[in-house]
Amino acid sequence: MSYSTQPFILIVDDNATNLSVLSQALKAAGYKVRMAVDGEDALAQVERAHPEVILLDIEMPKMDGFETCRRLQANPTTEGIPVIFMTALADIENKIKGLSLGAVDYITKPFEEAEVLARVKVHWRLKRLTDTLEEQVAERTQALQLAQVQLVQQEKLSALGQLVAGVAHEINNPIGCIVGNVSAAQDYINDLLRLIDLYREKFPQPGAEIEDELEAIDLDYVREDLPKLIKAMEDGGDRIKSISKSLCIFSRAD
C-alpha cells in the first residue's frame, strides 16, 4: 500500500473561522487539507477521495456529526477512516455516544492548534500501522497457502515492527510474574498438604465437624487434581512466553 507524502485530512465544520484556522495549521504541518461545511458535504467528498483522518464537528445544520459518523462507519469502504470529533459538548454522555458510533478521539472547543496537530499525527500513524498490518496479514496468509515450507526460512513478518514489539513487551511483564510464581505456589501447596497429613496422623479423630468438611471438599480429589491445575497453568504460561518470544523475533527481522 502506498501513501502520499502529504496525508489528506478532511475538516468538517460549519464555522468558517474554525475551518480557516485548522486548515492553515494543518497545511503548515505538511498535510493536504479539504474542507466541508456539513455532514452531507463531507460524505460527498469522502466518496470522491478517502482522507487519512476526519476532523468532524458535532453541531452542524442538515446533518450533525453523530449521524455523519454513523454513516461513515456503516459503509465498508469508509469505516476504517479515523474520525476525531470537535465539539464544545464536553459532557460524558456525548463523548460516550460519539465513541460508541466509532469515533477514535475527541477535541474540545475552543481547541489548541498544538493539541489538534498532535492528535491528528497520532491517529494518522495508527491508521498507517493498521493498514500495513492488515495488508501484511493478507499477504502472509496467501504465501503460507502457496509455500508453507519455504516461508519458514524467509523473513518473519518484519512489517509488524514496533507494534509487535510493544505487544510482546506488554505480554512479558505479567506472564513473567505468573510463571515465576507457579513453582512457589506449588511448594506452598505441598507444604500445606504435608501439614494436613501431619494433623491427620497426630489427630486421627478430629471430630465430626472436621470430618464432614473433609468429606465435603473431597481432600483426596483435591490432592490429586491440584498438581494437574498447577501444571496446566505453567504450560499455558510457557506457551504465552513462547508466542511473545516469536513476536520479538518477528519485530527484529528488518
Side-chain angles (χ1 to χ4, degrees):
M1 182 180 294
S2 62
Y3 293 93
S4 170
T5 56
Q6 281 190 299
F8 166 30
I9 310 299
L10 176 62
I11 308 171
V12 188
D13 199 317
D14 62 332
N15 186 298
T17 301
N18 289 342
L19 288 175
S20 177
V21 171
L22 287 173
S23 176
Q24 292 178 19
L26 288 166
K27 287 179 179 178
Y31 296 98
K32 178 181 177 182
V33 177
R34 291 186 181 177
M35 295 175 284
V37 296
D38 56 47
E40 292 181 354
D41 185 15
L43 293 176
Q45 293 206 38
V46 171
E47 284 295 320
R48 292 193 293 270
H50 289 182
E52 272 75 30
V53 177
I54 298 175
L55 292 173
L56 181 59
D57 187 23
I58 291 180
E59 296 183 296
M60 297 182 295
K62 295 184 180 180
M63 182 187 299
D64 66 14
F66 289 141
E67 177 61 18
T68 305
C69 183
R70 187 193 67 77
R71 295 195 185 189
L72 287 168
Q73 294 301 312
N75 186 339
T77 65
T78 59
E79 63 179 352
I81 301 174
V83 175
I84 302 175
F85 274 131
M86 303 182 299
T87 179
L89 304 174
D91 59 281
I92 295 299
E93 182 178 353
N94 279 287
K95 287 185 176 182
I96 292 175
K97 181 178 180 180
L99 294 173
S100 67
L101 287 172
V104 297
D105 208 344
Y106 258 87
I107 297 173
T108 303
K109 295 180 181 180
F111 49 76
E112 294 289 337
E113 291 183 17
E115 179 188 5
V116 175
L117 292 175
R119 291 180 185 272
V120 168
K121 184 177 182 180
V122 166
H123 291 293
W124 170 58
R125 286 184 171 179
L126 286 174
K127 183 177 186 300
R128 289 189 64 178
L129 284 172
T130 300
D131 290 345
T132 301
L133 178 60
E134 290 176 351
E135 182 182 75
Q136 291 299 320
V137 168
E139 290 177 356
R140 300 306 177 187
T141 300
Q142 182 179 13
L144 280 170
Q145 293 171 343
L146 296 175
Q148 206 167 32
V149 175
Q150 290 80 1
L151 183 62
V152 174
Q153 305 301 325
Q154 296 172 359
E155 62 182 280
K156 304 292 184 178
L157 298 176
S158 61
L160 294 178
Q162 294 182 351
L163 179 62
V164 171
V167 171
H169 176 74
E170 292 300 325
I171 291 174
N172 281 338
N173 290 334
I175 200 61
C177 177
I178 294 171
V179 173
N181 286 301
V182 165
S183 178
Q186 180 66 68
D187 291 340
Y188 295 154
I189 291 169
N190 290 337
D191 290 343
L192 291 172
L193 290 175
R194 282 196 298 271
L195 181 60
I196 291 173
D197 290 340
L198 184 59
Y199 266 95
R200 297 179 78 175
E201 180 182 342
K202 298 298 183 181
F203 303 98
Q205 295 180 337
E209 184 178 355
I210 293 178
E211 291 288 354
D212 290 343
E213 184 64 20
L214 288 172
E215 183 177 354
I217 66 175
D218 195 352
L219 183 60
D220 291 336
Y221 175 77
V222 172
R223 186 191 299 272
E224 177 185 353
D225 193 56
L226 194 53
K228 298 177 183 178
L229 292 178
I230 296 295
K231 184 61 169 62
M233 292 168 61
E234 186 176 21
D235 291 345
D238 289 339
R239 176 57 179 158
I240 296 174
K241 288 177 64 178
S242 175
I243 293 172
S244 177
K245 183 178 179 180
S246 297
L247 292 176
C248 288
I249 294 172
F250 293 161
S251 71
R252 294 195 297 268
D254 58 353

